[in-house]
Amino acid sequence: MVNIRPFASADEEAIVALWEESGLTRPWNDPLKDVQRKTKTQPEMFLVAEADHGAVVGSAVVGYDGHRGWIYYLAVAKSHRATGLGKSLVQRAESMLAALDCPKVQLQVRPENTQVIAFYEGLGYSTYEAINLGKRLEDDEKAMS
Ligand SMILES: CC(C)(COP(=O)(O)OP(=O)(O)OC[C@H]1O[C@@H](n2cnc3c(N)ncnc32)[C@H](O)[C@@H]1OP(=O)(O)O)[C@@H](O)C(=O)NCCC(=O)NCCS
């Protein structure tokens, strides 16, 4: 049995390890800082999947900005993939967002991770054209060095 619950501070190390194992970390995002940032904004929407033996085996960082809902850092430990856990995490994220009257949930897939698109399509997601622009307000790489 796997239980999906909100993040707790004791999960910090395990979450970073899960994101690393899942190939979700990048040099420009300090994962520990990303964990801590989420504990300050809608922390109840930071989902952690915990296995029977207490191990952290999944995550989803969910948020609603008043216009769109977003899912980041969706990850399932290799040991627990293809058991329906990824689907459960997305569905839990969607029900939390729907409860806030969020009209649409969006997510970004890195260009090198296109194989995951079929997973999302199976859950009713479809791609849409948009050009992403971003500007850093805090430089994690500088902060780490
Ligand atoms: C993507 C990921 C979260 C999927 O988790 P999972 O627990 O293995 O997926 P599930 O078992 O819930 O699969 C749900 C459905 O999607 C399908 N599916 C899963 N991965 C798939 C893939 N790569 N391609 C096509 N279908 C896929 C499953 O067959 C299943 O279909 P079914 O409901 O008809 O049986 C997991 O592979 C992962 O952590 N990947 C690395 C991190 C990552 O890329 N995250 C997404 C960032 S955008």
Side-chain angles (χ1 to χ4, degrees):
M1 263 293 285
V2 174
N3 176 36
I4 297 176
R5 56 159 175 83
F7 170 87
S9 55
D11 300 323
E12 209 169 72
E13 245 177 69
I15 284 286
V16 171
L18 171 70
W19 291 352
E20 278 165 356
E21 177 196 274
S22 303
L24 296 180
T25 54
R26 290 295 179 275
W28 53 89
N29 286 330
D30 178 345
L32 195 54
K33 279 196 159 192
D34 277 355
V35 168
Q36 289 161 355
R37 286 174 178 125
K38 186 57 188 166
T39 64
K40 293 184 197 151
T41 305
Q42 296 177 319
E44 72 286 359
M45 297 181 98
F46 188 168
L47 299 179
V48 169
E50 182 184 326
D52 267 345
H53 52 293
V56 167
V57 292
S59 72
V61 170
V62 186
Y64 179 43
D65 60 20
H67 181 63
R68 296 287 180 249
W70 289 92
I71 301 176
Y72 297 96
Y73 283 116
L74 177 73
V76 170
K78 285 182 181 159
S79 58
H80 283 69
R81 287 195 191 153
T83 63
L85 181 53
K87 186 176 179 171
S88 300
L89 282 162
V90 171
Q91 287 173 339
R92 180 69 69 88
E94 288 171 2
S95 24
M96 282 192 310
L97 291 166
L100 297 174
D101 294 328
C102 167
K104 186 183 179 197
V105 56
Q106 298 185 166
L107 53 92
Q108 294 168 316
V109 174
R110 292 205 177 101
E112 65 277 14
N113 194 19
T114 47
Q115 78 278 0
V116 81
I117 291 171
F119 162 78
Y120 288 117
E121 284 176 342
L123 295 177
Y125 288 71
S126 46
T127 55
Y128 66 92
E129 283 293 318
I131 295 173
N132 290 301
L133 285 90
K135 177 181 174 182
R136 285 215 74 105
L137 301 178
E138 184 182 352
D139 188 341
D140 281 6
E141 279 182 285
K142 223 178 248 171
M144 279 190 285
S145 61

